[in-house]
Amino acid sequence: MTSAVVSVLIASASSIAKVFLIALVGLFAVKYPQKSPLIPPASINVLSRFAFTVLNIPLVYSSIGSTLSIDVIGSLWFIPLAGMVVIALSFAIATTTERLPFFRIEHRVDFDALRIACSFPNVVAIPVLVFPSLCEYEVVWKVFLPEGGEEEEGLTRNPITECSNTLNAMTFSYFFAWLFMFFLLGNQALISAGKRKAQEEEAGSSVDNDIDIERTV
């Protein structure tokens, strides 16, 4: 039992270390060389959209397509439901935290945006990076390999691939709940907050211009 726990801890630490290494490489690519970075900051938005459209969507299709079956659907039904519960709970905790005296946000628009950010964190990028690394360890992939060993219908299966596909299918099942809740509630709240922010900035700019005119006169 102890050896299994230690193996899981080592696997988790190794996977997280790889994620931080990838993040550091990306950070240095955006920052250095200072005068001409390897990745210009202005291109990050384009690269992000490209990665999601060209890489993430095919990964969703391949992972779920290679894993999906009646049994899998029956075993993963709770994940989208749990996702909705987690999002609702995160929203409630963020709202409650703002009531605390030492965590007050005076600007209501900023708080509304922060509350949505707390409720809808990135639930794909980090798991997709971490899970394949975890599945490289036998103590992890054994849990996700169905009974019957590595043989099924006379074909040899790759346990690491099987584990990665199963975990990715779980991730994307949660992501479907995330998308449903975000576009049902979160997106509208952000758009509303953005409009109020723009109106406040426009009103503030008008006041400043009036003050400047009065001083000139």
Side-chain angles (χ1 to χ4, degrees):
M1 180 64 179
T2 303
S3 60
V5 172
V6 172
S7 298
V8 171
L9 291 176
I10 293 174
S12 302
S14 174
S15 300
I16 296 298
K18 290 180 181 179
V19 172
F20 275 100
L21 179 60
I22 293 171
L24 285 175
V25 170
L27 176 63
F28 278 100
V30 173
K31 295 288 186 181
Y32 302 99
Q34 292 185 353
K35 294 184 178 180
S36 181
L38 295 175
I39 301 177
S43 66
I44 293 178
N45 189 37
V46 176
L47 290 175
S48 176
R49 291 178 181 275
F50 173 83
F52 179 80
T53 304
V54 178
L55 302 178
N56 275 9
I57 292 179
L59 183 60
V60 171
Y61 178 82
S62 62
S63 298
I64 293 182
S66 61
T67 309
L68 200 61
S69 65
I70 298 299
D71 293 336
V72 171
I73 293 175
S75 63
L76 297 183
W77 65 268
F78 67 94
I79 293 180
L81 179 61
M84 294 181 185
V85 172
V86 169
I87 291 170
L89 185 61
S90 300
F91 186 87
I93 292 175
T95 302
T96 304
T97 302
E98 196 269 338
R99 304 288 182 181
L100 300 177
F102 57 85
F103 194 80
R104 297 291 296 178
I105 299 178
E106 300 299 332
H107 204 291
R108 191 66 192 180
V109 176
D110 291 339
F111 170 67
D112 289 342
L114 178 62
R115 182 165 54 177
I116 296 301
C118 293
S119 304
F120 297 91
N122 192 319
V123 295
V124 173
I126 292 180
V128 166
L129 289 173
V130 171
F131 288 162
S133 299
L134 284 174
C135 288
E136 294 175 1
Y137 296 87
E138 183 178 358
V139 67
V140 177
W141 62 251
K142 269 189 172 180
V143 176
F144 294 94
L145 194 66
E147 294 294 333
E150 301 179 19
E151 297 289 333
E152 184 179 52
E153 298 180 359
L155 299 176
T156 302
R157 298 160 56 204
N158 186 331
I160 296 177
T161 302
E162 186 75 16
C163 172
S164 298
N165 287 340
T166 301
L167 288 175
N168 285 337
M170 295 172 67
T171 300
F172 295 131
S173 297
Y174 187 99
F175 185 50
F176 292 149
W178 188 98
L179 288 173
F180 175 77
M181 295 289 285
F182 180 77
F183 285 104
L184 181 66
L185 302 172
N187 187 52
Q188 295 301 319
L190 286 179
I191 291 175
S192 177
K195 289 180 178 178
R196 295 203 310 273
K197 184 78 169 180
Q199 291 172 354
E200 290 179 2
E201 290 178 350
E202 184 178 352
S205 178
S206 299
V207 171
D208 292 339
N209 289 336
D210 292 341
I211 293 174
D212 291 339
I213 292 173
E214 290 176 0
R215 289 177 178 174
T216 303
V217 174

